[in-house]
């Protein structure tokens, strides 16, 4: 992290039988930057202070074929002076297992420190609000868990992120985005 509005990324080089012509940097599921295939670093600017960003890198060859995503890296930019503490859920983990003809997806995350109870969360899948998670009793403390069942086929890919409803009624910052592949 380079202050509150920029990050420096670096990665190991990739090999390809045709030759790597560029590296594409993705923030969540959107390509935001490219560098020549001879470079394995990038300086990204224009970021928001106190925000969690998830980056992946893909190598691209002369035939315009891209590699699979690199491992995701989560970076949090520094807070702006006088800004409140971060409101994003942290350490989002997602797993899945088959159950009959369906898949069960389990989400687990560390709740943000807000000075009060978090009554609900919004779950976004593929960038769209999918459901609001409302606790049926007293909200949990520490780590929170949520389970959903889907009927999509093996290999279906989901990108998921959460945000908390803060004690003052406003929505907090998004967690880092995670991707899960059914049966993967």
């Amino acid at each position: 992290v380079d202050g509150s509005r920029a990050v420096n990324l670096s990665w190991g080089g990739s090999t390809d039988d045709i030759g790597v012509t560029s590296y594409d940097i993705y923030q969540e599921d959107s390509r935001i930057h490219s560098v020549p295939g001879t470079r394995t670093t990038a300086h990204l600017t224009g970021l928001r202070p106190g925000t969690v960003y998830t980056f992946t890198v893909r190598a691209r060859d002369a035939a315009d074929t891209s590699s699979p995503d690199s491992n995701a890296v989560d970076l949090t930019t520094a807070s702006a002076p006088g800004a409140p503490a971060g409101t994003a859920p942290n350490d989002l983990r997602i797993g899945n297992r088959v159950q009959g003809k369906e898949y069960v997806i389990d989400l687990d995350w560390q709740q943000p420190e807000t000075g009060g109870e978090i009554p609900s969360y919004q779950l976004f899948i593929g960038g769209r609000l999918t459901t609001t998670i409302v606790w049926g009793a007293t909200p949990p403390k520490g780590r929170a868990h949520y389970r959903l069942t889907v009927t999509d086929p093996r290999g279906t890919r989901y990108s998921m992120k959460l945000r908390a409803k803060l004690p003052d009624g406003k929505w907090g910052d998004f967690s880092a985005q995670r991707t899960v592949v059914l049966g993967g």
Side-chain angles (χ1 to χ4, degrees), residues 17-37:
D17 58 345
I18 298 176
V20 174
T21 58
S22 66
Y23 290 99
D24 298 325
I25 295 94
Y26 286 77
Q27 191 256 314
E28 296 191 355
D29 290 327
S30 299
R31 185 173 71 183
I32 59 164
H33 192 67
S34 294
V35 297

Side-chain angles (χ1 to χ4, degrees), residues 152-169:
D152 291 315
R154 178 183 177 87
T156 300
R157 181 182 177 107
Y158 293 105
S159 296
M160 302 177 156
K161 62 185 176 181
L162 295 161
R163 66 180 179 178
K165 187 163 198 173
L166 305 176
D168 66 5

Side-chain angles (χ1 to χ4, degrees), residues 27-133:
Q27 191 256 314
E28 296 191 355
D29 290 327
S30 299
R31 185 173 71 183
I32 59 164
H33 192 67
S34 294
V35 297
T38 55
R39 289 186 40 201
T40 57
T41 62
H43 181 73
L44 306 176
T45 60
L47 305 178
R48 289 188 343 206
T51 303
V52 179
Y53 288 91
T54 302
F55 297 104
T56 56
V57 177
R58 294 180 196 166
R60 193 164 17 117
D61 67 15
D64 208 29
T65 303
S66 291
S67 70
D69 287 351
S70 67
N71 290 334
V73 62
D74 298 331
L75 299 173
T76 304
T77 53
S79 294
T87 60
N90 294 300
D91 193 26
L92 175 60
R93 300 174 191 168
I94 302 176
N96 73 96
R97 61 183 168 78
V98 68
Q99 181 175 297
K101 295 182 179 183
E102 301 173 325
Y103 281 92
V104 173
I105 300 175
D106 287 304
L107 292 89
D108 177 85
W109 65 94
Q110 181 65 39
Q111 299 187 89
E113 294 291 329
T114 62
E117 291 183 343
I118 297 172
S120 60
Y121 285 85
Q122 288 181 327
L123 173 63
F124 286 71
I125 300 178
R128 295 177 185 214
L129 176 61
T130 302
T131 193
T132 300
I133 302 165

